[in-house]
Amino acid sequence: MQNSDYHSPPPVEGVAGGGTGYGWNDASFKNARLLSRVVDVSRQPTSDLLHVWCMPSTATLGHQEPPRPLEQISLLVARNERESAQIALRPKVSWAGGGAAGNVQIHCSNLRSSSGHELETGNAVSLRRVVPILGVPDALVPLKSPTAQISLLPGETSALWLSITVPISQPPGLYEGEITITAVKADTDSGNGYESEFDKEEIKKVLQDFLAKAQNEEIKSAQDLGNGLEEICVGLRQLLQSPILSSTRGENGSMDVDEDWTTSLAVRIKLNVTVWDFVLPITPSLPAVFGISETVIEDRYGVEHGSDSWYSALDLHYKWLLQYRISPYFCRWGDNMRVLTYTCPWPAHHPKAEEYYSDPRLAAYAVPYSPVLTSSYTAKESIRRELEILKTKQHWKKAYFYLWDEPLSLEQYDVIHSMAREIKSIAPDARVLTTYYCGPNDGSHAPGSFEALVKVPEFLRPHTQIYCTSEWVLGGREDLVKDITGELQPENNEEWWTYVCMGPSDPYPNWHLGMRGAQHRAVMWRVWKEGGTGFLYWGVNCYEKALAPAAEIRFRRGLPPGDGVLYYPGEVFTPISTEPVASARLERLLSGLQDYEYLKLYADQYGRNAALSLMEKTGLYNGPERYTHDHGPIDTLRSEIYRSCKPG
Amino acid sequence: MQNSDYHSPPPVEGVAGGGTGYGWNDASFKNARLLSRVVDVSRQPTSDLLHVWCMPSTATLGHQEPPRPLEQISLLVARNERESAQIALRPKVSWAGGGAAGNVQIHCSNLRSSSGHELETGNAVSLRRVVPILGVPDALVPLKSPTAQISLLPGETSALWLSITVPISQPPGLYEGEITITAVKADTDSGNGYESEFDKEEIKKVLQDFLAKAQNEEIKSAQDLGNGLEEICVGLRQLLQSPILSSTRGENGSMDVDEDWTTSLAVRIKLNVTVWDFVLPITPSLPAVFGISETVIEDRYGVEHGSDSWYSALDLHYKWLLQYRISPYFCRWGDNMRVLTYTCPWPAHHPKAEEYYSDPRLAAYAVPYSPVLTSSYTAKESIRRELEILKTKQHWKKAYFYLWDEPLSLEQYDVIHSMAREIKSIAPDARVLTTYYCGPNDGSHAPGSFEALVKVPEFLRPHTQIYCTSEWVLGGREDLVKDITGELQPENNEEWWTYVCMGPSDPYPNWHLGMRGAQHRAVMWRVWKEGGTGFLYWGVNCYEKALAPAAEIRFRRGLPPGDGVLYYPGEVFTPISTEPVASARLERLLSGLQDYEYLKLYADQYGRNAALSLMEKTGLYNGPERYTHDHGPIDTLRSEIYRSCKPG
């Protein structure tokens, strides 16, 4: 273009233009390299293409989370413990099509100690993708191990959940490894998926041409035939070397990623895991009993009650949940708040019952009291047979009966009494658990008053041993705990447990979806400080009714989102998977239960008051309204306990 | 399992269990079919697998948008007009892997009238995917036409943006067509993308076997050679028919989707488009001048100022924006609020200048006053040459000078005066536009007072013709308009224009990202009611500095999100695409400009008061704080204008 006589204005950068000029530059930009017009992932360092940074497991990494500098991940983990951290990824630029920014390949090495011991990726070390539920990052969908590929969206931060689960037999020591993140070309245009089809069509066309040529060859002589054959060989060789059949990843056309290429371009995250010589007790110090709805399983998986596949489905849920230091019970609701609860779907004489009840990871189990649903003679006979077996067992001390949820009237109290009487006529030392958030509405105390709540043991005694009150009642008043526990008779084996359900809501600790990560973890800090000897949670899989395993997950209307749902059906994220998908909240709950063991270890050695003072000093937890929002105090407390309690 | 003597409890459905039982069922669930354990998309009607429903273009369809019943889409469109609607998709179940719920294929038919005229898909009819920006659905990324495939995520609502752009020559009438949505198997496991690679490897292996066989063939006789050749032909035929090379979509292995299959299982959305006999004026009745930052283009696309690729880049942006009834100007900021603005990057004598300035779609153009940046003799000579040419042209009446943004002091007013004097010494009838949101801070009126603002013409006269005030000044007080316009001298060609920039903020109309759709559209309703004769917007592409076309889009700090950004670089969503990606806000701005033409048509026929009363009666717009949030009144107003103004 000949515009030499047109004096085009020089490029001047406005500084006073407010938002209209480039009024500012952020720090991360100053070091950015100039990218070429088209991004070539096989040459460009991944750090030019995306931000990678690490965050603690209590962070909520939404799509809008802004980047931070990359630092290494250092975790302190006991034996038989799991600790987690998060890795955030956010594209700086797009290098793929179909609406995605691009794909990254994630490789996680084994962690190795100087003495050659290993924490193996895929077992002890796992990576899951954090998937939002109702817009909140929560579902942890497993990634392939040791190498996975995920797609990133433009303008969105994605998060990975790294967990180190240290086996009980793992030798203590410092384990080191790394995670490498490498931007790769997407294999296909995942937005429409047509690309691989076009390739196939192209290959077919080439082969059809060969075939036509070979068939039309007029057979004249050996010479001609030889030429024909030779021509096809040349063609085949050309096809084999053509871009159509070349691999899109790596450079050598093989399935293996070129190690050098990965190493030189990848973002590398150093992993330092200190395994210390404390073994978290296999049997949790705090019985945490959590309900699994059998109705939900029956509907979603289409399994008929009592069928073989029903037993398998329940077994799968039970075993999966057990790894979270939780003592599961199955539940089904009758009319009023009558509830059938049982930890083992098999009868007491069945070999599976022994397997369930004597599992050292199980801290408490619910014994089914089937007359709660039908008071037939058969039902009563069945419970008698069950009890006659169970009461003789070593594990009987773990047994409890949970017969009614939150009784509200003296009439309902009477029903509990009559059921409990029947149970105790067979097994006098049976423990009955009753949940409550208020006193009877027709008792001698003002209905709804705290006084009425405190006096509940008067009405339930002697047939309830485990008085399980709602944390909602306390709100921020942890001083009320002593009023409640003051009414109990520990000398008569009366215990105080707590539960959360719907309430308490923010700012108190609970597992609602919208709460902060430290708030999820704090539920168990609260339990430790308040001194209850057990904990109950009503439901882990109580999504709305659905009739297919892969059906959309919906929370029940009227409940705070996340309440009653601590894991998700795996089929929703990967139809062929039957393994449940944990929520980040469940992992934080596990962390809380592990913190409980740390606090107990410290208290056993230095006294409960020292442990309480450590909680306070580190800023971890001072009360249900005053606990840390940040991860810092968690690490400080754990390090301090490690320092003070490690042998030698 | 032999549990016959164990009386397992009967399935009882709790009703009083609150959230703990299935306390409720929502209506949409009652009609749900029982899905099989594994979803087979080739047999299952798509309506079993996902919710599909339609929404107006003013709706904000976030990922959490709940499903509604499916109704047909009916649009009323004039000739030379574009109207849009949205289609929402939400999986009821998952049928794919890799974290996705599944893929759907979207096919859009041509629309056909009873007289056989067509609105063609890909041209007049387009579908774009609505992609969130900072979590707000905004970027409209084009889909392949007429058939596209997208992937849906579990628990997330996705939205498609349907636009009908009626050509000026389109015969009026009712046009009908349909969009079909069909759940399909994903072509590859998009979570890792390895599948297509494995296929390639397999093909290579088979071909290598052939080659080895052909090469090892001992040439004995013509017979042997013939056999060898024949063997290869058989092998090729087998390979061609093998599953490795068969298509994964449809059932007949061809690229074409099996029509019967699609038809029987798809969700079908009926499209009814009434094209009426009003032609939206090619030249917009309201000059709406919008700034394109040349600095942003230079940095992001790496084009050197004045180079061929610089001209191409500017040309692309200019032409693309012109389709939105917008008169673009390029801008670059100098010190203070000095600004260089120009609609055409070529000098006046260049053929491109004529092409730009005389384009009937351009309602106004900015003439570059390069001395704003450098007051060299060359610069002054250059502007003189420009003006000598332009002032003789037919299109000169569209010309304006925009020299300074929001002057604040009498000294800055003086600079404007001196520049304007120089311009007018060459072209006495040149129009100068000045933006302001307050009076001079050192004038005779109290700084920051409304009085000072109203008296601005006293200071700028006679060298400013277009008094362009910020809507932010008015807030909710549209009664102040008459005070401002009362000071102007229309007899001396003084005009009143308005602008929005940063402010006004919610609840007033503007184009911030977080605002409601009707709020975006209402900016132009406000302009029509307040009676300004032009409108200015400072920036359409003013994202934060970036040095690669596909670099992450970041809004500038200190500006409300979306302010100064009405479209996005296409490269961020599809690296090979250079076409900008419109925001939903830009489409709603276009709709507002089109509504302006409807109101003008009505006012021309029935008077301005009748049009104002129609706006009020329908509930469309009563003032900057009282206008519709819903789409209903928009349709009512447009239908009423169609009914009252259609010929015959």
Side-chain angles (χ1 to χ4, degrees), chain A residues 123-142:
Chain A
N123 293 315
V125 185
S126 75
L127 276 173
R128 287 172 284 178
R129 183 163 195 176
V130 189
V131 171
I133 300 293
L134 290 185
V136 179
D138 194 51
L140 306 180
V141 180

Side-chain angles (χ1 to χ4, degrees), chain A residues 5 9 11 19 21 37 90 92 94 96 144 149 191 194 215 222 237 248 305 340 385 544 549-550 552 556 572 575, chain B residues 5 9 19 21 37 90 92 94 96 149 191-192 197 215 225 237 249 305 332 340 385 549-550 552 556 572 575:
Chain A
D5 58 341
R37 175 90 183 73
R90 186 183 177 92
K92 294 178 178 177
S94 299
K144 282 193 186 167
Q149 205 175 117
Y194 279 112
Q215 285 167 338
R237 261 181 243 116
T248 46
H305 192 89
L340 173 72
R385 276 199 308 276
E544 188 42 66
E552 177 187 15
R556 296 190 188 165
V572 171
Chain B
D5 59 339
R37 177 91 181 72
R90 187 184 177 92
K92 293 178 179 175
S94 299
Q149 205 174 117
N192 57 47
E197 286 304 316
Q215 284 168 338
L225 281 171
R237 261 181 244 118
R249 268 191 321 285
H305 192 89
R332 173 181 294 270
L340 173 72
R385 276 200 308 276
E552 178 187 15
R556 295 191 189 164
V572 172

Side-chain angles (χ1 to χ4, degrees), chain A residues 477-591:
Chain A
R477 297 281 306 276
E478 61 178 352
D479 58 302
L480 299 177
V481 169
K482 64 177 188 316
D483 298 315
I484 296 170
T485 54
E487 292 291 325
L488 299 183
Q489 304 172 349
E491 64 280 15
N492 293 327
N493 296 317
E494 289 182 1
E495 288 187 56
W496 184 58
W497 289 23
T498 52
Y499 70 95
V500 297
C501 167
M502 297 188 70
S505 51
D506 197 57
Y508 307 114
N510 203 334
W511 296 306
H512 300 169
L513 194 61
M515 291 179 166
R516 292 179 304 278
Q519 201 166 2
H520 299 146
R521 193 157 173 166
V523 175
M524 290 302 153
W525 304 339
R526 176 175 197 164
V527 170
W528 194 84
K529 186 167 186 210
E530 291 177 352
T533 52
F535 186 86
L536 178 141
Y537 191 63
W538 71 277
V540 288
N541 66 334
C542 296
Y543 2 91
E544 188 42 66
K545 183 167 182 164
L547 300 181
E552 177 187 15
I553 299 153
R554 289 183 300 147
F555 294 122
R556 296 190 188 165
R557 222 171 279 184
L559 295 180
D563 193 57
V565 175
L566 296 181
Y567 60 84
Y568 303 102
E571 292 84 351
V572 171
F573 306 96
T574 320
I576 50 162
S577 157
T578 53
E579 177 160 338
V581 159
S583 67
R585 294 170 295 124
L586 179 60
E587 295 293 340
R588 291 174 188 139
L589 155 59
L590 170 62
S591 293

Side-chain angles (χ1 to χ4, degrees), chain B residues 158-216:
Chain B
S158 296
L160 306 176
W161 188 277
L162 167 75
S163 291
I164 314 288
T165 311
V166 176
I168 202 159
S169 57
Q170 191 74 30
L174 174 66
Y175 290 78
E176 294 176 297
E178 66 174 14
I179 293 172
T180 51
I181 314 265
T182 317
V184 291
K185 238 176 116 166
D187 296 300
T188 56
D189 181 351
S190 60
N192 57 47
Y194 279 112
E195 234 167 79
S196 64
E197 286 304 316
F198 281 126
D199 285 358
K200 277 188 190 169
E201 290 302 309
E202 222 172 315
I203 294 167
K204 279 168 88 168
K205 210 178 146 293
V206 172
L207 291 180
Q208 272 156 353
D209 285 351
F210 281 171
L211 193 59
K213 201 173 278 179
Q215 284 168 338
N216 287 342

